[in-house]
Amino acid sequence: MATTVVIGIGNPYRRDDGAGIAVVRRLRLLVPQDVEVVECPGDLTMLLDIWQGYSRVIVIDAMRSGRAAGEVMRFDASTQTLPANMRFSSTHAMGLNEILALAHTLHRLPRKLVLYGVEGRDFGEGECLSDEVAKAVDDVVCYILLDLKKGEGDA
Amino acid sequence: MKGNTMKVDYLARVEGEGALYVRFKGGQPAEVRFKIFEPPRFFEAFLRGRSYREAPDITARICGICPIAYQMSAAHAMEDAFGIKIEGPIRDLRRLIYCGEWIESHVLHVAMLHAPDFLGYEDAIQMARDHPQIVETALKLKKVGNDLVTLIGGREVHPINVRVGGFYKVPRRRDLQEIEEHLKWARDASIQLVKWTASLPTPEFEQDYEFVALRHPAEYPFNEGRLVSNKGLDIAIDEFEAHIVEDHVPYSNALHARIARRGAYMVGPLARFNLNFDKLSPLAQDVAKEVGVTAPCRNPFQSIVVRAIETLYACDEALRIIANYTMPDKPAVEVRPYAATGHGCTEAPRGILYHRYRVDEYGTILDAKIVPPTAQNQKSIEADLWSLVKAHADLPMEQLQWRCEQAIRNYDPCISCATHFLKMQVKWD
């Protein structure tokens, strides 16, 4: 069984909200065989089941935190508490911030968890990413491939 | 209540984002508005020029919480247009996948979004600290719903296996039997969920609602039936637009639905329960009677119990369908498009979801209309808020706001089908 899972979050029909999905769709063809790639476009309580059993988890989601569009944040959530200013976007009742807190409370966080946040600009209805976010998606794909190359210890 | 304005910028624990505005004059509410900014018109425009085959999958993208409802209403509308009637195991599989969606959607709302209101918690995370077992059980129960949707739908979010005429692929009997044990556990767990929700402290509040739901002669409604109400509505689905009127209101881009010449109506679990109590399985009826929640139930705060009862029903019904299932020879019936208009209306977890399509002789969509349940409940939500604010104007601001938010959540509004932020603003003149 794969030991690493890369999970993209978001709604690809709400423009930049779909940044995480765009990243994993690109990664699907590029990651080593032993890495699982999953899209999670709906209810995020599913994350607790999706990442169960994996020793390393990488999650990508759009942020709506007031930063410049396209800005990327990388955060190691297995060693630090999520900063208040890293606010992920959600079109549903429980976003990534809430799910991470819930997983922490229920002791269901993965052993190694890396989060990538991509600041979005346009969360309106539609399929296209804004230019800044599309470029950031390219960057995040590269960062994650590097993460995967570095191996489990550096995740 | 002190001060003359109350403003809440973000209402959490609802699917999507909207706004609430309340203005007081002389200590009494003068204006109450529940706003929805963006109805799914994008999708209606997006559907034009597409093939009838694409309607279920495109509309399923409107919402990640209830994609099956969108697929079902779209498929039924197209089948209505082309004169197709789905029977036998394919029909049963549609009910089965709907059971999965009701379980996952209802459990998410009951345990994670609504229950914290009744116990005084800010959110499910706080509640999980004191009641981890409730939250863990709910997550496990919800997963059984997800697994059922994945088994039949191909994947758990935005399932891809539903098509006009049936499915692309159907499960074998033994595929379904694999989930039976989990469903039996889920049925027992939902009995406990019903009992737990019934023990929650519930505000005294009743309104004279017009409940609207599907009613089928032989079953609790998912996909088929006539549209009926407790105040005399009894129509076929293709008469929907002759009886349900949509008004544009100046403060909202969303259309407010109402029954012609009467006004607000309520759709969703409470409406289905009140109009179809006799069609619940004997077990679901017995448990409902045991906890003292039976039809007619006019207290919207008891919708949390009714959602739990419907979860129990969905588990029970799924087990019944699996026990009787035989794999059909073909996964779908043949579809031959011709120029026509078709109507579909099915019971999404939150209430009736209406679709209408006009297609040309090649099956290309010429125009589409979608009326989601939350748009239909908007007027009832506002009416509830009026009554609550009137009755509790003397409450401290924080408590009044708490009660208003709880009242909105009674409807499990899925504003992501329709809108952005839910901001609450209260103004005192």
Side-chain angles (χ1 to χ4, degrees):
Chain A
M1 183 190 161
T3 54
T4 300
V5 63
V6 184
I7 307 167
I9 291 172
N11 180 350
Y13 291 85
R14 293 293 289 270
R15 297 194 190 276
D16 292 344
D17 193 64
I21 300 290
V23 169
V24 294
R25 284 183 182 169
R26 292 274 303 284
L27 278 172
R28 199 177 288 282
L29 301 170
L30 304 172
V31 296
Q33 271 187 348
D34 63 345
V35 174
E36 199 70 52
V37 176
V38 178
E39 292 180 22
C40 188
D43 156 36
L44 296 189
T45 58
M46 281 181 196
L47 279 180
L48 275 61
D49 294 315
I50 293 173
W51 68 37
Q52 192 168 3
Y54 290 96
S55 55
R56 180 168 66 163
V57 178
I58 300 174
V59 174
I60 315 102
D61 195 5
M63 286 188 301
R64 206 179 327 198
S65 62
R67 292 180 172 78
E71 199 170 308
V72 175
M73 273 193 85
R74 182 185 187 279
F75 189 78
D76 187 340
S78 35
T79 55
Q80 307 159 70
T81 314
L82 200 64
N85 67 352
M86 194 167 178
R87 188 77 214 164
F88 291 96
S89 152
S90 173
T91 53
H92 291 297
M94 292 185 88
L96 185 55
N97 296 72
E98 290 76 26
I99 294 301
L100 291 174
L102 184 67
H104 177 74
T105 304
L106 297 173
H107 310 292
R108 288 177 67 172
L109 276 175
R111 197 159 56 83
K112 290 192 178 299
L113 173 62
V114 171
L115 307 175
Y116 279 94
V118 179
E119 185 73 21
R121 179 166 57 82
D122 180 358
F123 293 90
E125 289 172 336
E127 289 179 279
C128 296
L129 299 174
S130 60
D131 291 346
E132 301 93 322
V133 171
K135 192 189 162 301
V137 164
D138 282 345
D139 295 341
V140 175
V141 168
C142 294
Y143 300 152
I144 291 175
L145 288 172
L146 280 173
D147 282 343
L148 295 173
K149 238 179 200 168
K150 276 191 222 161
E152 198 170 313
D154 295 324
Chain B
M1 182 160 158
K2 288 173 186 168
N4 57 5
T5 57
M6 179 165 89
K7 190 177 169 188
V8 183
D9 282 338
Y10 179 72
L11 187 87
R13 284 186 279 127
V14 295
E15 295 296 347
E17 302 149 353
L20 173 69
Y21 174 84
V22 182
R23 184 170 62 82
F24 281 86
K25 199 169 185 179
Q28 284 300 310
E31 204 175 352
V32 176
R33 294 168 175 181
F34 178 66
K35 300 182 189 179
I36 285 182
F37 302 127
E38 291 181 41
R41 301 300 171 213
F42 164 75
F43 282 90
E44 291 178 1
F46 197 58
L47 284 158
R48 267 180 231 128
R50 301 283 192 136
S51 163
Y52 74 93
R53 291 186 196 88
E54 296 179 89
D57 282 342
I58 291 173
T59 57
R61 263 52 175 196
I62 291 175
C63 176
I65 303 289
C66 47
I68 300 301
Y70 280 90
Q71 290 185 325
M72 290 297 153
S73 288
H76 277 279
M78 291 303 182
E79 287 153 10
D80 176 55
F82 306 139
I84 297 166
K85 181 102 179 119
I86 304 294
E87 306 280 7
I90 298 176
R91 184 179 188 280
D92 291 341
L93 283 174
R94 285 188 167 174
R95 280 182 72 78
L96 187 57
I97 195 170
Y98 233 142
C99 288
E101 180 157 286
W102 277 23
I103 295 168
E104 52 182 348
S105 175
H106 278 356
V107 172
L108 176 71
H109 189 262
V110 167
M112 317 296 280
L113 307 182
H114 209 190
D117 284 331
F118 291 81
L119 292 170
Y121 293 104
E122 283 293 329
D123 52 35
I125 302 145
Q126 271 194 14
M127 196 177 88
R129 279 183 204 130
D130 295 342
H131 303 276
Q133 204 46 50
I134 292 285
V135 177
E136 287 281 12
T137 304
L139 287 169
K140 199 172 156 194
L141 188 49
K142 200 182 144 294
K143 188 171 184 307
V144 177
N146 295 349
D147 290 347
L148 194 51
V149 171
T150 307
L151 185 61
I152 305 161
R155 56 187 191 196
E156 52 202 329
V157 272
H158 298 161
I160 43 167
N161 191 29
V162 173
R163 61 184 283 188
V164 179
F167 294 90
Y168 289 100
K169 197 176 160 217
V170 288
R172 295 163 300 184
R173 194 173 154 72
R174 68 169 178 272
D175 297 329
L176 295 183
Q177 282 167 336
E178 279 170 22
I179 205 170
E180 255 185 319
E181 283 310 306
H182 298 288
L183 275 165
K184 283 179 186 161
W185 172 86
R187 184 171 58 187
D188 291 343
S190 40
I191 293 173
Q192 296 311 313
L193 188 68
V194 174
K195 291 180 180 171
W196 182 71
T197 54
S199 72
L200 294 168
T202 308
E204 296 275 336
F205 181 81
E206 288 202 348
Q207 299 278 84
D208 180 25
Y209 297 104
E210 177 154 11
F211 297 109
V212 175
L214 290 180
R215 176 145 175 104
H216 185 276
E219 60 199 17
Y220 201 74
F222 281 107
N223 293 60
E224 291 173 36
R226 286 176 69 79
L227 265 182
V228 302
S229 86
N230 54 325
K231 296 194 178 180
L233 186 78
D234 186 356
I235 58 170
I237 303 308
D238 61 7
E239 296 174 280
F240 183 95
E241 288 171 64
H243 293 266
I244 307 291
V245 185
E246 288 185 294
D247 298 319
H248 181 73
V249 290
Y251 54 84
S252 176
N253 289 345
L255 300 170
H256 276 204
R258 64 179 165 85
I259 294 181
R261 295 177 295 279
R262 278 209 293 279
Y265 62 102
M266 184 200 280
V267 302
L270 208 55
R272 281 193 293 263
F273 179 82
N274 284 331
L275 296 165
N276 296 283
F277 184 83
D278 59 323
K279 298 290 185 262
L280 283 167
S281 62
L283 175 66
Q285 286 191 37
D286 287 348
V287 174
K289 284 175 194 160
E290 192 188 325
V291 299
V293 177
T294 52
C297 171
R298 296 190 186 87
N299 184 345
F301 292 94
Q302 285 188 314
S303 63
I304 190 167
V305 188
V306 173
R307 272 187 194 91
I309 294 167
E310 284 199 336
T311 304
L312 165 60
Y313 171 74
C315 295
D316 213 15
E317 175 67 357
L319 282 163
R320 187 194 65 79
I321 292 168
I322 290 171
N324 297 319
Y325 178 71
T326 43
M327 192 177 166
D329 299 334
K330 288 179 182 171
V333 298
E334 197 184 341
V335 180
R336 290 188 183 191
Y338 49 82
T341 297
H343 309 79
C345 184
T346 69
E347 287 283 358
R350 295 160 178 81
I352 52 167
L353 168 62
Y354 171 79
H355 285 212
R356 188 246 301 141
Y357 300 96
R358 189 163 61 87
V359 296
D360 68 12
E361 67 268 39
Y362 306 106
T364 304
I365 297 167
L366 299 173
D367 63 61
K369 183 183 175 77
I370 296 171
V371 185
T374 297
Q376 301 177 69
N377 278 333
Q378 283 179 102
K379 279 184 104 65
S380 274
I381 294 173
E382 280 191 353
D384 285 2
L385 292 166
W386 267 107
S387 303
L388 272 171
V389 171
K390 232 181 220 172
H392 300 291
D394 56 334
L395 277 181
M397 189 185 292
E398 210 173 281
Q399 284 183 32
L400 182 63
Q401 184 197 325
W402 188 282
R403 191 50 53 84
C404 285
E405 293 191 16
Q406 185 179 12
I408 291 172
R409 289 190 200 102
N410 287 337
Y411 290 82
D412 185 10
C414 189
I415 303 166
S416 56
C417 291
T419 187
H420 269 220
F421 265 82
L422 185 48
K423 290 177 181 167
M424 184 165 167
Q425 213 179 13
V426 179
K427 195 178 166 195
W428 293 77
D429 287 343

